[in-house]
Amino acid sequence: MDEGRGQYLVMVPWLAFGHLIPFFHLSVALAKAGFKISFLSTPKNIQRLPKPPDDLTALITFVELPLPHVDGLQEGAEATVDLDIPNHDYLKMAFDLLRDPFRRFITVHSPDWIIHDMLNNWTAEIAQELGLPFIFYSVYSAAVLCFLGILEPENGLTAKWPDSPRALMCPPPWIRLPSKLARLPHEANRAYRALYLPNESGLSDIQRFQQGNRGCQAIAIRTCPEYEREYLDVLNKYLKPIIPVGLLPPEKREAAVEGEWVEIFRWLDEKAARSMVFVGFGSECKLSRNAIYEIAHGLELSNLDFLWALRKPKWASDDGSDALPPGFESRTTGRGVVNMGWAPQMEILAHHAIGGSLFHSGWGSLIETVQYGHALVV
């Protein structure tokens, strides 16, 4: 893949915007290098993606694969953001039914490479059947791959998947560098159940992960040696060629806000440089009442000016009046604004008044925040 001119790639991300967006950014980067891209996803997801730069539209084609119906999957849901976590398994079942449409597309178009995601065990199987080279692209950091478990041990080394929740409560034995990372018992139990035990789709996420990487030509990771060289070194000891593709931050753009955000940005303009914290837990992170109230309490005690982009919780009333502690907004008038709904996150992070960001530790949000040099509160 050293020479992009004339090479044709097919991108197949998992149906979550924490995956779709990094695959889109990688597509843009590869198109700039001269690769021709077909980006496969469902119609609704493609409609919600950003538009490629005008000079790259001839190189990036979006291909719609309608999502088949599965009993238990909410009508109109095509991405994890549309669902509560317990229903993600039904989305995986529907995703698996894209196998035949994918096979037909690949057979007709015969790409030079397939770049696929962590849950795409069937795209790997089809690529191998047709003799097409494929690459796993991790939208997670190298550190996450290390702590999840080595994907496909090679070179006679004996690293393996965690075999119990207890194994997640200390650094895995193959990580020799100093680390205190560990999960508390309730976190370990939840993570082990979610990742390592079979779900309604018939496979565990880790089984999909492993099958999807068996036979791949390389593993590309959205990271760079400057950020996590030690973890890349761990992966390089165990795995196939590792390609750090860079952090691929979204391209900076001029603020183009509208509606109520015009007034909010005028308010931001009056604040001192780097004096405020932006609070945003993304669209996928569903916060409980207790969690939101604790965050609000902490913001109130901090005495910092803040802008909070809060997705209205499902447990809140229709008008959202009970989504925050009683009296919180009146007590923080003048130094804090809470907006419920869509937020122009990149424009907010780019504003001179923002100096730090409180968020859910998502890798994509971290990359967006780091590019502006903000303090991370995670």
Side-chain angles (χ1 to χ4, degrees), residues 1 38 97 144 162 183 216 233 237 267 275 283 368:
M1 291 182 63
S38 283
L97 295 179
V144 167
R183 288 180 171 90
C216 70
D233 288 343
K237 288 180 182 177
W267 176 74
S275 64
S283 57
E368 292 175 2

Side-chain angles (χ1 to χ4, degrees), residues 191-233:
Y192 189 77
R193 185 169 58 250
L195 292 171
Y196 299 97
L197 296 182
N199 53 53
E200 292 291 333
S201 72
L203 294 171
S204 70
D205 285 359
I206 291 300
Q207 285 175 310
R208 289 174 174 272
F209 205 15
Q210 188 176 45
Q211 293 174 14
N213 289 286
R214 188 174 295 129
C216 70
Q217 277 61 48
I219 296 171
I221 307 176
R222 189 189 185 190
T223 191
C224 60
E226 294 82 358
Y227 199 88
E228 49 177 355
R229 183 180 301 278
E230 295 89 348
Y231 292 106
L232 285 168
D233 288 343

Side-chain angles (χ1 to χ4, degrees), residues 287-289 292 310-317 320 322-323 340:
L287 295 171
S288 67
R289 183 188 300 270
I292 288 178
L310 175 62
R311 182 182 175 89
K312 187 174 83 68
K314 287 189 175 181
W315 48 260
S317 59
D322 58 346
M340 291 191 194

Side-chain angles (χ1 to χ4, degrees), residues 255-287:
V257 297
E258 54 188 23
E260 61 189 319
W261 282 101
V262 174
E263 288 301 317
I264 294 174
F265 271 78
R266 285 176 183 160
W267 176 74
L268 285 175
D269 291 342
E270 297 172 358
K271 298 294 182 178
R274 297 195 172 273
S275 64
M276 300 185 61
V277 61
F278 171 61
V279 184
F281 282 74
S283 57
E284 303 274 357
C285 189
K286 315 276 196 307
L287 295 171

Side-chain angles (χ1 to χ4, degrees), residues 48-93:
R48 293 184 281 187
L49 284 171
K51 303 301 180 187
D54 291 342
D55 61 335
L56 299 179
T57 54
L59 290 172
I60 301 177
T61 301
F62 293 99
V63 178
E64 297 182 355
L65 299 180
L67 192 66
H69 172 74
V70 166
D71 290 340
L73 183 64
Q74 177 182 322
E75 187 71 27
E78 295 186 10
T80 56
V81 70
D82 304 322
L83 301 163
D84 293 326
I85 288 177
N87 295 320
H88 287 190
D89 291 349
Y90 298 110
L91 188 63
K92 293 167 191 168
M93 294 164 67

Side-chain angles (χ1 to χ4, degrees), residues 325-347:
F328 171 77
E329 290 182 278
S330 61
R331 292 192 299 271
T332 57
T333 297
R335 72 175 182 89
V337 167
V338 180
N339 181 273
M340 291 191 194
W342 175 84
Q345 181 162 308
M346 291 304 298
E347 285 83 355

Side-chain angles (χ1 to χ4, degrees), residues 294-308:
E294 286 293 323
I295 292 166
H297 186 53
L299 287 171
E300 191 171 345
L301 290 177
S302 74
N303 290 320
L304 287 171
D305 289 359
F306 65 89
L307 172 58
W308 188 354

